[in-house]
Amino acid sequence: MDLSFYKSFLFEEARDQGRNQGEVRRGAQDILDVFEVRDINVPEAVRERIISCDDPEVLRQWHRRAVVVGVAEDVFVGG
């Protein structure tokens, strides 16, 4: 059986892309989970913005803010 594909650049690239997508999905879900645990209402527009974000670092910042904000919209405020 030829396993050379699994050592190829294309396979490595696809694997890394899949990992990144998984990290992004987990990051977005973690933010929404924090809001749920804190019983904070999440408007659909906020939910969509969080889910559509594809930058793990931005999601990390939002996650840290989600722990302390009073309303979901404030997760986007700050530097």
Side-chain angles (χ1 to χ4, degrees):
M1 180 188 299
D2 181 14
L3 299 176
S4 61
F5 171 74
Y6 297 103
K7 297 178 183 177
S8 72
F9 174 76
L10 289 174
F11 177 77
E12 295 290 326
E13 187 175 301
R15 185 187 67 198
D16 291 345
Q17 186 176 29
R19 283 183 179 161
N20 187 47
Q21 288 173 349
E23 182 180 336
V24 166
R25 271 190 237 113
R26 277 190 309 276
Q29 188 58 54
D30 287 348
I31 295 166
L32 297 174
D33 287 348
V34 168
F35 287 141
E36 181 180 345
V37 168
R38 295 189 61 218
D39 200 30
I40 292 178
N41 179 52
V42 182
E44 192 58 33
V46 172
R47 181 179 307 279
E48 286 300 317
R49 183 169 174 189
I50 292 169
I51 291 171
S52 67
C53 180
D54 63 356
D55 185 334
E57 184 56 35
V58 170
L59 289 167
R60 185 178 163 298
Q61 291 172 6
W62 291 349
H63 183 250
R64 294 172 65 86
R65 290 183 198 142
V67 174
V68 296
V69 297
V71 295
E73 291 86 347
D74 287 350
V75 78
F76 307 123
V77 178

